[in-house]
Amino acid sequence: MTQLHQPGKLAPHNPIADDGDDVHFCSTCAFGSVCLPAGLDKIALNELHMLVEHVGPFHAGDHIFRSGERFGALYAVRAGMVKTRQLDDEGHEQVLGFHLPGEMIGLDAIHPAKYPCDAIALDTVFVCRFSFPALSMLAAKIPDVQQRLFDLLSADIGKSSRFSGDHTADERLAAFLLDLANRYAARGFASNAYRLVMPRADIANYLRLAAETVSRVLRRFQDQGLIRVDGRELELTDKPALLKLARHILRD
Amino acid sequence: MTQLHQPGKLAPHNPIADDGDDVHFCSTCAFGSVCLPAGLDKIALNELHMLVEHVGPFHAGDHIFRSGERFGALYAVRAGMVKTRQLDDEGHEQVLGFHLPGEMIGLDAIHPAKYPCDAIALDTVFVCRFSFPALSMLAAKIPDVQQRLFDLLSADIGKSSRFSGDHTADERLAAFLLDLANRYAARGFASNAYRLVMPRADIANYLRLAAETVSRVLRRFQDQGLIRVDGRELELTDKPALLKLARHILRD
DNA sequence: GCATCGCATTGATCTACATCAACGCGAGTC
DNA sequence: GACTCGCGTTGATGTAGATCAATGCGATGC
């Protein structure tokens, strides 16, 4: 059924052999504490691995799921970057977020059992698919799994209002750059320099700015020595200064 | 422990006798499907009623919980209106939402086990307090309870980004008024006329506008025959026109 | 090589809304 | 009654960032 709408192929289900570095990768994933043996007995672990499918590759522009589709599964990004967005009746796009390896998407679809947004690959993407009916059955049996789901859902509520406040372009952009850095760091990636995978227009849309404004502010940040930009390559050269700008938004 | 920070008194725990119209009220609450017998056996129902406490009254300005406090419980608003908000390090307020009778608050506090915002009564408020440890134990035993929690959490993710888009003052205000109307209607209240319990400044903050702009737009809406305003009393006299303005925001 | 295309940058101008300021008005309070 | 005080309204002015327009520039195709 996932194949109906996406060009990615189902990998043969073989969670260990499928990726030489599975254990290492999963340890940094949002669901890693669940998928990895830690504390789970053999039977539980088996059941979990039964309900995970590795899906991919998706290429830039491919949909992982589409707005309006029946909700059937959560996805964890394994590799690449995913954009979530909504289109209104006139086709105006509203970017909801960018999702890094190790992060979950689809949490906002549980109720009312429809994906409320499109999930689109920004580059080459692999995901883990968690069948939700199977997952919630497992959650009922294993308190840690249930709690982990509650945690992920709860954290997403706060995240989705993080950039909803009233702030200047400088503040929002600084917060955006630091937020990405923090999230890369949390997954074990280098965080002082990374690639902005998405086009400027997507950043602008997400932050409620014009693409021109994003361009100008990045330029000024560079002139002020806060960052270095070269196309989509980014380096944060003065995090304290960025943090000072972003402190109203990133309150943790 | 709730008494440490709030002036509300614990009502004696007696869910049936405590309110002559309990069953009727609970049937319209976000957690009604859980608290009411529907499908639950006697033992389960008993356990549920053991973990619910009726708390109140809170008066305008009282805190139901405070930002930074250890998370211990979810709350359903029973009566009155609750505002949730965050303060940044310089004391700038950011209003996150307004919560009507039958709606849940505290869902964003499960992870990382701290309330991320203040919950403040806007008028006289009564709440139901659900101990979260007890509730999640019950959820593990009763699939419907677990599912209901997943649903509430998931729906809140979408809600919290509803007003985060880039829209004009007119669109946001129209969407705000209709959203309140819809939510009142969903709980069985009259929805064509209601009271804006919060001051203009709170509406403005929530919608990222200045209080003056809210005032001016409401005035113009009235002049155009879309609404009638008298202080905080509001009547929607041309819903189709409001909906036309708000359609980019309320996509459902 | 040249042409095309998508994206990014840079400059000039415009505007929706904020900000500043004054005033109104009902509810307490003395 | 007069005096706050909190809130809302209304008008005049300012500005952050949008919009419009032109140019740059690397990647792809022929």
Side-chain angles (χ1 to χ4, degrees):
Chain A
M1 130 209 37
T2 37
Q3 288 182 309
L4 282 180
H5 60 273
Q6 47 92 339
K9 293 166 193 146
L10 275 172
H13 179 257
N14 187 345
I16 309 291
D18 166 75
D19 182 328
D21 206 11
D22 236 37
V23 170
H24 176 262
F25 176 83
C26 292
S27 70
T28 65
C29 171
F31 232 62
S33 61
V34 169
C35 299
L36 288 176
L40 297 192
D41 62 35
K42 283 239 177 65
I43 300 163
L45 198 60
N46 243 337
E47 290 190 60
L48 181 70
H49 285 171
M50 289 300 294
L51 64 81
V52 183
E53 287 171 19
H54 289 188
V55 187
F58 297 89
H59 302 290
D62 290 347
H63 286 244
I64 288 95
F65 52 74
R66 284 174 195 275
S67 178
E69 280 181 359
R70 199 192 109 267
F71 168 69
L74 302 177
Y75 295 88
V77 181
R78 273 176 70 76
M81 191 181 284
V82 175
K83 164 176 96 167
T84 47
R85 68 114 190 251
Q86 290 175 323
L87 295 178
D88 69 20
D89 49 5
E90 285 168 19
H92 298 130
E93 182 172 15
Q94 151 95 351
V95 174
L96 297 179
F98 304 101
H99 307 273
L100 274 44
E103 299 181 343
M104 282 292 234
I105 54 178
L107 292 165
D108 51 355
I110 295 174
H111 186 83
K114 280 185 185 182
Y115 294 101
C117 57
D118 300 309
I120 301 174
L122 289 173
D123 54 355
T124 301
V125 165
F126 291 82
V127 300
C128 289
R129 179 183 192 278
F130 296 83
S131 155
F132 187 71
L135 191 56
S136 54
M137 283 186 57
L138 192 67
K141 277 198 281 190
I142 307 174
D144 284 353
V145 173
Q146 189 192 67
Q147 183 61 39
R148 188 77 191 112
L149 271 171
F150 288 153
D151 285 353
L152 285 168
L153 284 157
S154 178
D156 247 34
I157 297 173
K159 276 179 206 159
S160 69
S161 59
R162 164 160 291 178
F163 285 95
S164 74
D166 190 20
H167 305 281
T168 66
D170 286 21
E171 289 169 344
R172 285 213 289 274
L173 208 35
F176 175 73
L177 298 178
L178 282 175
D179 181 51
L180 276 181
N182 293 339
R183 287 157 59 197
Y184 274 124
R187 306 306 180 188
F189 293 93
S191 71
N192 285 329
Y194 56 84
R195 182 174 174 75
L196 290 167
V197 181
M198 71 296 285
R200 298 283 191 273
D202 282 350
I203 299 176
N205 183 304
Y206 180 59
L207 299 177
R208 282 179 264 118
L209 299 171
E212 293 92 329
T213 304
V214 171
S215 188
R216 281 186 254 264
V217 173
L218 287 178
R219 184 56 148 72
R220 186 157 39 71
F221 279 0
Q222 174 158 260
D223 293 346
Q224 294 167 341
L226 307 190
I227 62 174
R228 289 204 315 141
V229 224
D230 177 20
R232 297 190 185 178
E233 295 301 327
L234 184 81
E235 186 181 352
L236 306 184
T237 50
D238 189 352
K239 275 195 179 182
L242 287 170
L243 194 55
K244 198 173 167 193
L245 277 172
R247 70 185 187 286
H248 302 306
I249 302 176
L250 308 174
R251 53 188 125 262
D252 50 287
Chain B
M1 130 206 34
T2 38
Q3 287 181 313
L4 284 180
H5 59 273
Q6 49 91 337
K9 291 168 194 146
L10 275 172
H13 179 255
N14 188 344
I16 309 294
D18 167 76
D19 184 328
D21 206 10
D22 235 36
V23 171
H24 176 261
F25 177 81
C26 293
S27 70
T28 64
C29 170
F31 231 61
S33 62
V34 169
C35 298
L36 288 177
L40 297 192
D41 62 35
K42 282 238 176 65
I43 300 163
L45 198 60
N46 242 339
E47 290 189 59
L48 181 72
H49 284 172
M50 289 301 293
L51 64 82
V52 184
E53 286 171 19
H54 290 189
V55 187
F58 297 90
H59 301 289
D62 290 347
H63 286 246
I64 288 97
F65 51 73
R66 282 172 196 275
S67 178
E69 280 180 0
R70 199 192 111 268
F71 168 69
L74 301 176
Y75 296 87
V77 181
R78 272 177 69 76
M81 191 181 285
V82 175
K83 163 176 95 168
T84 48
R85 66 110 189 255
Q86 291 176 322
L87 295 179
D88 69 19
D89 50 4
E90 285 167 19
H92 299 131
E93 182 173 16
Q94 151 95 351
V95 174
L96 298 179
F98 303 102
H99 307 274
L100 273 44
E103 299 180 343
M104 282 291 235
I105 54 178
L107 292 165
D108 51 353
I110 295 174
H111 185 82
K114 281 185 185 180
Y115 294 101
C117 59
D118 300 310
I120 301 174
L122 289 173
D123 54 354
T124 302
V125 166
F126 292 81
V127 299
C128 289
R129 180 183 192 277
F130 297 83
S131 156
F132 187 71
L135 190 56
S136 54
M137 283 185 56
L138 192 67
K141 277 197 282 190
I142 307 175
D144 284 353
V145 174
Q146 187 193 68
Q147 183 61 40
R148 189 77 192 115
L149 271 171
F150 288 152
D151 285 352
L152 286 169
L153 283 157
S154 179
D156 248 34
I157 297 172
K159 277 180 207 159
S160 68
S161 58
R162 164 159 291 181
F163 286 95
S164 74
D166 191 20
H167 304 281
T168 66
D170 286 19
E171 289 169 343
R172 285 213 289 275
L173 208 35
F176 175 74
L177 299 179
L178 282 175
D179 180 53
L180 276 181
N182 293 339
R183 287 157 60 197
Y184 274 122
R187 305 306 180 190
F189 293 94
S191 70
N192 285 329
Y194 56 83
R195 182 174 174 75
L196 291 167
V197 180
M198 71 297 285
R200 297 284 191 272
D202 282 350
I203 299 176
N205 183 304
Y206 179 59
L207 299 177
R208 284 179 262 118
L209 299 171
E212 293 92 331
T213 303
V214 171
S215 187
R216 280 187 255 264
V217 173
L218 288 179
R219 183 54 147 71
R220 187 157 38 73
F221 279 180
Q222 174 159 261
D223 293 346
Q224 294 167 342
L226 307 190
I227 62 174
R228 291 204 314 140
V229 223
D230 176 20
R232 298 192 184 176
E233 294 302 327
L234 183 81
E235 186 181 351
L236 307 184
T237 50
D238 190 351
K239 276 195 177 181
L242 288 170
L243 194 55
K244 199 173 167 194
L245 277 171
R247 71 186 186 285
H248 302 305
I249 303 177
L250 307 174
R251 53 185 127 265
D252 51 287

